[in-house]
Amino acid sequence: MLKFPAKAKTSFYLITATTGFAAAFNFHSLNPNFPAFSDDSLLLSSTFPEKIRTGINAVFRSSRAVTTIALNVVDYKYSLHGLPLKSEEYRHTLSEVHVRSAKRILKLCEANKGFYVKAGQFVAALRQVPNEYISILSSLQDQAVPCNFKDIKEVLIGNLGRDLSEIFLSFDEEPIAAASIAQVHRALLKDGREVAIKVQYPGLEYQMKLDTATMSFLSKSVAWFFPAYRFEWAVSEFAAAITLELDFIQEARNSERTAHNFKNNKIVRVPHVFWELTTRQVLTMQFCTGHKVDDLEFLKKSGINPRKVAKALVEVFAEMIFIHGFLHGDPHPGNILVSPEAEGRSGFSLVLLDHGIYKQLDETFRLDYCQLWKAVILLDSNKIQYLGDQFGVGKYSRYFPLIFTGRTIDSKSALGKGMSNEEKKKLKQELKFLKMEDISSFMESLPPDFVTILRADGLLRSLCSKLSAPQRVRLLVYGKYALYGLPPKLNPESDFMGMIVFSKFMTNLSYLQFWLHLEALEVLSWMEETQQLFNKMLRQFVVAADRFLVRICLSFPTINP
């Protein structure tokens, strides 16, 4: 049997896919009664052996991807041809092409399902892609079609080694949740304990290898046509994340580590893992009740303040980033539940689910990231530039304050207040000289840990916005936890006790200054909220007084002259 190198295999698969698409397209044009290539039901029917079905499925999935990206490349190339780069017409046309291309990719993800849906969700969470893509691809967050239970049952029996009736008192065949790579079923163990069972769809590992190879090929093709548009870093990050997510044993370990990290936090709940019923493809957990974190109607009915939920959520993820250095990489609404059951005063708990995608931050990176947030809040331009060099982004470090706080590096605006009109005008002029190539270079230069944080932070921002929490809530929490993540450290090499004491004193003084700065900002925030509340009460009092006076006047009899 001939063995091909990995690259040769990838090329062969892609050539086969493209050829297959062409053949299917031509055959369909000559035979209108034959189903279109977007409908795989006939080709994937059970009359074909599994290997043939898998091969045909691979051809069609790759063909759709190649065709979609080819159409997008042609659209960009010809729609923008001849337009001056800095003209209003160019920007308007570019936005229209973004919309058309994003809609094509959305259709591709909906047709190919699986990893393509996951990839679309991944892109939608990146704040570094055009807003048109984020807006259109965000609809993929809630799109997942459950797998036939017959196939799911085969996976369960194959992994657990026994019939379901031997393990469970009852098993609900209708899934309570479905995602792009797995679905979750509710069941009762023989001892009466309620569990949630996450079951991986069959045949995913082979499909993942082909899909990520196709995505890599396409990203390189786009970069060849448009050198400024380089997205290989995104494909690489996605492939690394999805590989981790397919191993449910690793997910169970991540879950237990997170539970340990937050063992003293009464707001955070992590489902208990049943190891005896857990494998690489099956994960059995304690069943936890709750509603999606952005379910405003539920929060209102339960009397839970959405802003308090947002603050608690940001505190949890800030602790992951700045203290533990172990970050949940996919905090979308479906992975975080709010439950009214809580031990503390908060009146609610946050249930953290889906621990497949985690990033262990490098310790040096974690400390530098803490320093970066301190510098960004204090707008210490020299420190920001130094840390930018440490992260490998050089001149682009001046945009860190803009990315994280919405202020420029020279801003005079208060934290969380955005920019003045003058600053906006100056920034607009500066950004005119930035090209897509600059954004690509910036993203390629960032450490992988940084990219993961940016994605998670983008999802958190979106959640905070849905929960009507002002940006200042997130900024103050991040600032405080960055401070907590930088404990004063003495130099054991020092020869003189006096130097050690002085060093400790200066370090503590520096942190005291930073702490007072943050506390002052919180006091200002509290005063602003109090003033708004007072103004609201005053308006209500004036309206009530006006109505009372009108009623008094109307109660007197009319006197005729």
Side-chain angles (χ1 to χ4, degrees):
M1 181 179 176
L2 293 175
K3 292 187 177 181
F4 295 94
K7 289 186 178 179
K9 285 184 179 180
T10 300
S11 301
F12 173 75
Y13 287 146
L14 293 171
I15 292 168
T16 302
T18 310
T19 306
F21 164 74
F25 182 82
N26 290 333
F27 186 74
H28 180 261
S29 63
L30 296 173
N31 300 271
N33 295 324
F34 192 79
F37 80 95
S38 60
D39 181 6
D40 305 339
S41 57
L42 177 61
L43 289 173
L44 301 181
S45 67
S46 57
T47 55
F48 286 86
E50 184 179 352
K51 288 187 177 180
I52 295 179
R53 292 204 310 271
T54 303
I56 294 175
N57 186 32
V59 168
F60 275 75
R61 291 165 65 82
S62 300
S63 299
R64 291 192 193 105
V66 170
T67 306
T68 299
I69 299 305
L71 286 172
N72 283 355
V73 167
V74 170
D75 198 354
Y76 276 100
K77 202 78 175 175
Y78 287 95
S79 297
L80 301 174
H81 181 70
L83 298 179
L85 286 178
K86 296 181 182 179
S87 67
E88 187 63 36
E89 184 182 1
Y90 178 89
R91 286 192 289 271
H92 178 72
T93 304
L94 180 62
S95 178
E96 289 181 337
V97 179
H98 282 336
V99 170
R100 290 196 297 269
S101 298
K103 286 181 177 178
R104 292 189 193 103
I105 291 177
L106 176 63
K107 288 182 179 179
L108 168 66
C109 295
E110 290 173 339
N112 277 2
K113 302 180 179 61
F115 294 110
Y116 281 84
V117 171
K118 200 74 180 175
Q121 294 171 349
F122 185 87
V123 171
L126 293 173
R127 299 179 65 250
Q128 291 71 38
V129 300
N131 289 329
E132 292 86 350
Y133 282 85
I134 295 173
S135 175
I136 291 170
L137 295 180
S138 292
S139 64
L140 290 169
Q141 289 293 357
D142 297 317
Q143 287 193 21
V145 179
C147 184
N148 188 293
F149 184 70
K150 180 184 175 183
D151 297 326
I152 292 297
K153 188 176 180 180
E154 287 181 7
V155 174
L156 283 165
I157 294 173
N159 279 265
L160 302 180
R162 288 176 286 169
D163 190 75
L164 301 187
S165 61
E166 298 177 33
I167 306 170
F168 304 104
L169 196 63
S170 66
F171 193 102
D172 190 351
E173 295 186 6
E174 284 296 318
I176 56 174
S180 50
I181 68 166
Q183 62 192 50
V184 181
H185 291 262
R186 193 172 184 172
L188 278 177
L189 297 177
K190 290 288 188 179
D191 60 8
R193 286 180 293 178
E194 195 171 19
V195 294
I197 305 161
K198 184 176 179 180
V199 188
Q200 193 175 119
Y201 300 138
L204 284 186
E205 289 200 15
Y206 171 79
Q207 186 176 305
M208 180 203 70
K209 290 176 183 177
L210 181 64
D211 286 350
T212 52
T214 304
M215 292 173 193
S216 178
F217 168 79
L218 293 173
S219 67
K220 290 175 182 176
S221 300
V222 170
W224 188 81
F225 282 100
F226 300 98
Y229 289 77
R230 300 189 301 275
F231 296 112
E232 288 181 58
W233 59 269
V235 175
S236 177
E237 278 297 301
F238 171 72
I242 206 68
T243 301
L244 292 175
E245 199 170 4
L246 287 180
D247 185 355
F248 286 179
I249 291 178
Q250 184 59 49
E251 178 174 346
R253 293 194 187 111
N254 294 341
S255 175
E256 289 198 334
R257 182 174 173 184
T258 302
H260 175 75
N261 288 343
F262 288 97
K263 63 183 178 181
N264 296 321
N265 189 323
K266 293 182 179 180
I267 288 182
V268 178
R269 292 174 58 197
V270 178
H272 169 74
V273 175
F274 291 83
W275 279 103
E276 67 277 14
L277 298 175
T278 294
T279 68
R280 278 183 59 89
Q281 292 182 303
V282 176
L283 173 57
T284 305
M285 306 159 285
Q286 169 194 6
F287 183 85
C288 294
T289 59
H291 289 250
K292 286 186 179 181
V293 70
D294 62 346
D295 188 340
L296 296 176
E297 186 177 344
F298 164 75
L299 296 179
K300 185 178 179 180
K301 287 181 180 178
S302 303
I304 299 173
N305 187 334
R307 179 167 173 170
K308 287 185 178 180
V309 173
K311 186 176 181 182
L313 181 63
V314 175
E315 285 176 341
V316 168
F317 279 85
E319 187 171 337
M320 288 183 179
I321 296 169
F322 297 106
I323 310 297
H324 305 153
F326 189 59
L327 174 63
H328 189 307
D330 197 19
H332 68 74
N335 289 342
I336 305 164
L337 304 181
V338 177
S339 175
E341 305 168 7
E343 296 178 27
R345 296 180 182 178
S346 61
F348 65 88
S349 59
L350 294 175
V351 183
L352 301 184
L353 305 174
D354 199 348
H355 301 271
I357 300 177
Y358 265 78
K359 173 69 79 170
Q360 172 64 63
L361 304 180
D362 176 79
E363 181 62 9
T364 301
F365 170 85
R366 184 189 68 79
L367 293 171
D368 283 346
Y369 193 73
C370 289
Q371 291 282 8
L372 176 63
W373 263 92
K374 179 183 175 184
V376 161
I377 287 177
L378 297 177
L379 286 180
D380 184 343
S381 57
N382 291 331
K383 189 71 173 179
I384 290 171
Q385 179 61 57
Y386 168 77
L387 291 167
D389 291 337
Q390 293 294 104
F391 291 132
V393 297
K395 64 179 181 178
Y396 301 113
S397 61
R398 66 179 284 102
Y399 297 109
F400 279 145
L402 181 64
I403 291 170
F404 292 124
T405 69
R407 298 185 298 172
T408 62
I409 199 167
D410 305 313
S411 178
K412 305 299 179 185
S413 302
L415 187 69
K417 286 294 185 181
M419 293 177 283
S420 65
N421 291 330
E422 184 180 345
E423 288 170 346
K424 288 179 182 178
K425 185 176 180 181
K426 184 179 177 182
L427 178 65
K428 189 176 180 180
Q429 290 298 322
E430 184 178 341
L431 293 179
K432 280 184 178 180
F433 295 98
L434 279 182
K435 301 176 182 177
M436 188 62 201
E437 186 172 359
D438 292 306
I439 297 174
S440 296
S441 297
F442 173 72
M443 293 305 299
E444 286 175 333
S445 302
L446 286 175
D449 290 358
F450 211 126
V451 176
T452 302
I453 290 177
L454 283 178
R455 181 175 182 271
D457 184 54
L459 290 167
L460 285 176
R461 285 194 195 197
S462 176
L463 284 174
C464 286
S465 177
K466 289 178 181 178
L467 294 168
S468 302
Q471 183 185 197
R472 186 179 292 181
V473 169
R474 167 182 153 273
L475 298 179
L476 292 177
V477 169
Y478 272 23
K480 279 191 173 183
Y481 277 85
L483 172 63
Y484 299 154
L486 286 170
K489 293 182 180 179
L490 302 179
N491 183 4
E493 303 294 327
S494 299
D495 295 326
F496 303 103
M497 181 60 68
M499 291 179 63
I500 295 175
V501 173
F502 180 73
S503 173
K504 184 176 180 180
F505 171 76
M506 293 303 294
T507 302
N508 286 339
L509 187 64
S510 172
Y511 285 106
L512 178 62
Q513 177 190 8
F514 184 52
W515 180 81
L516 288 173
H517 182 83
L518 290 174
E519 289 301 315
L521 288 170
E522 284 216 82
V523 170
L524 288 174
S525 177
W526 175 81
M527 290 175 64
E528 182 182 329
E529 289 176 18
T530 303
Q531 183 180 4
Q532 290 176 353
L533 180 61
F534 176 76
N535 290 338
K536 182 179 179 181
M537 292 174 63
L538 183 61
R539 286 194 300 270
Q540 290 175 344
F541 174 76
V542 169
V543 170
D546 284 344
R547 289 175 180 172
F548 178 74
L549 289 173
V550 168
R551 287 175 183 173
I552 292 293
C553 292
L554 291 175
S555 66
F556 286 103
T558 303
I559 302 175
N560 294 320

